[in-house]
Amino acid sequence: MELRTAASPRDVKHYTTERLREDFLIQNLFTPGEIKLVYSHIDRIITGAAVPVSPLTLTAGDELRAEYFLQRREMGAINIGGAGVITIDGRKYEVGFKEGMYIGMGSRDIVFDSVDAAQPAKFYINSAPAHREYPTVLIRPEGTPQEGVVIVKDENKVECGCLEDANHRVICKYILPGQVESCQLVMGMTRLEPGSVWNTMPCHTHDRRMEVYLYFEMPEDAFVMHFMGEPTQTRHIVMRNEEAVISPSWSIHSGCGSKAYTFIWGMVGENQDFDDMDHVANQELV
């Protein structure tokens, strides 16, 4: 597990491009046959991925000082690859493309697998410290509710923006209060419509929680210009397909791509209120 320390906004405004990418950009997450994890001291989030061509077992490692990975943690996982299976304490969950899971604290044995090794699942992972157990559930954007399965509510599929502003998008909220309960993790996915390239505009900060973005469904020749930093000290990071970026609570987090794309957002902190944010008007950005 790679470890990364927190960063001060006073220091970040002096960073070079190389230092910005070293501290905040997460590359090469989706490696066949491996679980890759990055532990950030920013709200203790773990960002990672599992790409099983044969069963992969999640272990705590020495870094967590725990008997098992979710002894004191919770986890969200969303599959952006082929059909997959997550086995949790002996119970198997079939997790299809863009389906997700919330896995509660206390789950001991977690195994990732693919239905077809030639088209492996790509499980994107966010994990946060937890203080109590909540039910483990499979999350589907569409379908019929059943035991152990939560269907995203209509009110949590939000269409916003417009083509005139190049930000027509659909936000699908997976893990949040009132739908899938968690200690602090909030997670979802946003898809930009063709012809739209801007996300999270107007931009904002939320001082009570940090965020991680994973950008995907980008062609090889496409990129996203991810903007970060204090509103009056903005910086950018050029990002390619299936790369993630860490956003501290003091930083804006917004992006503009050369083509439409999709991104998964995960938030960790003391506040789970999705709308608790400090908006920054476009005229204020420097």
Side-chain angles (χ1 to χ4, degrees):
M1 189 184 301
E2 179 187 347
L3 299 178
R4 298 196 188 184
T5 56
S8 163
R10 289 184 295 177
D11 296 333
V12 169
K13 65 183 179 182
H14 300 294
Y15 282 7
T16 62
T17 297
E18 291 76 16
R19 181 65 187 276
L20 278 174
R21 294 173 68 85
E22 179 183 330
D23 276 18
F24 300 108
L25 179 64
I26 303 175
Q27 296 178 291
N28 305 314
L29 268 174
F30 297 93
T31 303
E34 293 186 21
I35 297 175
K36 302 196 74 171
L37 300 169
V38 175
Y39 183 113
S40 172
H41 285 190
I42 302 174
D43 282 312
R44 304 284 171 176
I45 192 171
I46 294 176
T47 302
V51 185
V53 294
S54 60
L56 292 173
T57 300
L58 182 65
T59 59
D62 294 336
E63 296 85 357
L64 292 186
R65 307 294 197 272
E67 295 179 38
Y68 52 96
F69 194 89
L70 295 185
Q71 184 179 13
R72 299 184 295 271
R73 286 185 158 267
E74 60 187 356
M75 187 170 75
I78 296 177
N79 182 12
I80 64 168
V85 177
I86 303 179
T87 303
I88 303 165
D89 293 335
R91 179 172 177 177
K92 292 187 176 183
Y93 297 85
E94 296 182 0
V95 187
F97 179 58
K98 291 186 178 178
E99 295 181 350
M101 286 208 69
Y102 171 78
I103 307 174
M105 185 185 77
S107 300
R108 282 180 171 267
D109 300 318
I110 301 172
V111 181
F112 299 98
D113 203 358
S114 298
V115 173
D116 181 359
Q119 296 180 308
K122 294 180 176 180
F123 294 107
Y124 174 65
I125 296 166
N126 283 172
S127 173
H131 57 271
R132 61 162 291 182
E133 294 182 20
Y134 282 103
T136 292
V137 292
L138 175 63
I139 308 163
R140 290 177 173 155
E142 307 284 348
T144 303
Q146 52 188 287
E147 182 183 358
V149 179
V150 171
I151 307 301
V152 175
K153 298 176 181 179
D154 289 341
E155 61 264 34
N156 288 329
K157 302 171 188 174
V158 181
E159 185 174 358
C160 57
C162 60
L163 191 57
E164 288 79 7
D165 291 334
N167 67 353
H168 185 199
R169 60 200 189 275
V170 177
I171 302 171
C172 188
K173 304 172 186 178
Y174 284 52
I175 301 171
L176 77 166
Q179 178 170 274
V180 175
E181 300 297 331
S182 68
C183 291
Q184 59 169 313
L185 180 64
V186 179
M187 203 170 179
M189 181 185 299
T190 299
R191 184 192 77 249
L192 274 75
E193 298 292 347
S196 288
V197 293
W198 276 103
N199 68 64
T200 319
M201 288 299 289
C203 66
H204 58 263
T205 61
H206 25 72
D207 197 50
R208 286 155 295 281
R209 58 186 187 273
M210 61 82 67
E211 193 157 6
V212 176
Y213 276 9
L214 171 78
Y215 291 102
F216 70 107
E217 294 192 322
M218 286 193 284
E220 185 176 348
D221 62 345
F223 69 93
V224 167
M225 195 74 74
H226 178 83
F227 297 100
M228 63 163 295
E230 295 175 288
T232 57
Q233 287 285 341
T234 55
R235 301 291 184 270
H236 72 271
I237 297 177
V238 177
M239 297 186 60
R240 309 292 177 180
N241 190 44
E242 296 184 356
E243 294 182 342
V245 62
I246 299 168
S247 177
S249 57
W250 47 262
S251 175
I252 66 168
H253 36 283
S254 185
C256 185
S258 58
K259 294 182 180 179
Y261 52 90
T262 305
F263 67 101
I264 295 173
W265 40 268
M267 295 184 284
V268 170
E270 67 169 287
N271 193 327
Q272 293 180 296
D273 183 357
F274 186 86
D275 294 321
D276 182 10
M277 57 189 73
D278 298 312
H279 290 281
V280 179
N282 291 341
Q283 299 91 325
E284 298 175 29
L285 292 171
V286 177

